[in-house]
Amino acid sequence: KAGVTQTPRYLIKTRGQQVTLSCSPISGHRSVSWYQQTPGQGLQFLFEYFSETQRNKGNFPGRFSGRQFSNSRSEMNVSTLELGDSALYLCASSFGSGARFFGPGTRLTVL
Amino acid sequence: KNEVEQSPQNLTAQEGEFITINCSYSVGISALHWLQQHPGGGIVSLFMLSSGKKKHGRLIATINIQEKHSSLHITASHPRDSAVYICAVGWTGGTSYGKLTFGQGTILTVHP
C-alpha cells in the first residue's frame, strides 16, 4: 500500500502571499489530520477531517483553513502568510481514530 | 503548564543500554501515541495505547491510566534508535474528537 503523500515537499513564499498544501492519504483511510511543527512550539494540531467534514480545529487563526474531498484527499490553505508561518506542515491519515500514518511533510519558508 | 510532559528532554546512551522515556499528561484521554522522528522530518507511529502494555521488537510501551503516565522502553539500544521520540495524547469523544496534543519530544542519541 502506498503511504501518505504530500505535495509540494518544499515551498518558499513571501509575506502576504497565500499557499495551498496537498495531502493524499493511504487508500481506505477516511480521516486526515494536519499538524504544524516549529522549533519553538513543537508539534501542534491544526485540524482533522473525516468524510469531508472538519471534526476539530486547533488553536490557529482563521488564516489557516482546510478541506477534504470525496476521495479523502485533503488540502490546507494559509492566507496572508507571516514570517512565523515558516514551519514543517505534516499531514497524517488514519482509519477512523486509530494510529496515525504521517506523510513526509511540506517545509514552508516565508521570506 | 503543558498538558503533556516528557522526560528527559535529552538522553544519551551507549549501545546496548536499556532506555526509558516517560510521558505524563494532565487530563483524561482516549489513547496515547508514541511517535519516532528521524532527522529530515519523517514521523513514524510506534504505538497507540489505551491501556496496559504493547511490545514490538525491542520496543515496549506501557500506560497507567489512573496515574496518567506512560513509558517507552528500548531494550538493547542501537545507534539506529537515535531519533526524537514524541508522546501524544488524543481523544475519541466530546469536543476534542480527533485532536492530538504533543509532548515536547525526547532527543535520544545512542553511541556505538
Side-chain angles (χ1 to χ4, degrees):
Chain A
K1 237 182 203 180
V4 178
T5 58
Q6 291 187 245
T7 56
R9 293 292 310 278
Y10 302 91
L11 204 48
I12 299 175
K13 292 284 189 180
T14 56
R15 277 181 300 175
Q17 287 187 308
Q18 77 163 23
V19 67
T20 299
L21 312 181
S22 181
C23 173
S24 292
I26 290 171
S27 178
H29 285 188
R30 293 166 66 189
S31 177
V32 174
S33 47
W34 289 89
Y35 308 90
Q36 181 197 65
Q37 186 175 36
T38 60
Q41 298 295 319
L43 271 164
Q44 293 182 280
F45 170 80
L46 277 160
F47 20 68
E48 196 242 9
Y49 288 89
F50 182 83
S51 291
E52 303 178 66
T53 300
Q54 186 182 88
R55 288 202 291 200
N56 219 318
K57 184 172 166 48
N59 190 23
F60 280 82
R63 301 184 295 107
F64 291 81
S65 64
R67 59 179 176 169
Q68 187 181 33
F69 302 95
S70 58
N71 62 357
S72 294
R73 189 177 70 84
S74 177
E75 288 181 348
M76 67 162 280
N77 184 276
V78 188
S79 62
T80 321
L81 284 165
E82 300 177 0
L83 295 178
D85 297 333
S86 294
L88 180 67
Y89 290 88
L90 293 149
C91 83
S93 74
S94 62
F95 187 77
S97 54
R100 296 343 190 238
F101 292 82
F102 286 81
T106 294
R107 189 164 295 280
L108 171 66
T109 302
V110 182
L111 302 175
Chain B
K1 188 180 188 301
N2 290 335
E3 287 182 290
V4 184
E5 295 280 350
Q6 281 185 240
S7 63
Q9 288 192 293
N10 287 279
L11 184 53
T12 301
Q14 289 298 125
E15 184 173 355
E17 286 185 355
F18 181 87
I19 286 162
T20 296
I21 300 170
N22 296 298
C23 177
S24 297
Y25 51 93
S26 56
V27 297
I29 61 170
S30 300
L32 184 141
H33 303 251
W34 280 104
L35 310 171
Q36 179 193 56
Q37 186 172 32
H38 280 285
I43 292 180
V44 174
S45 178
L46 298 174
F47 296 103
M48 178 179 165
L49 292 161
S50 55
S51 65
K53 176 179 172 177
K54 287 190 177 180
K55 183 176 189 289
H56 185 259
R58 295 179 294 107
L59 302 177
I60 303 166
T62 63
I63 188 167
N64 185 317
I65 296 294
Q66 287 72 33
E67 294 186 3
K68 296 186 174 61
H69 180 269
S70 175
S71 293
L72 176 68
H73 305 287
I74 305 175
T75 62
S77 60
H78 190 276
R80 65 175 175 266
D81 297 326
S82 298
V84 179
Y85 292 83
I86 303 166
C87 164
V89 298
W91 297 268
T92 55
T95 58
S96 295
Y97 196 109
K99 180 182 175 184
L100 284 184
T101 299
F102 298 87
Q104 71 274 36
T106 294
I107 302 171
L108 171 65
T109 304
V110 182
H111 293 294

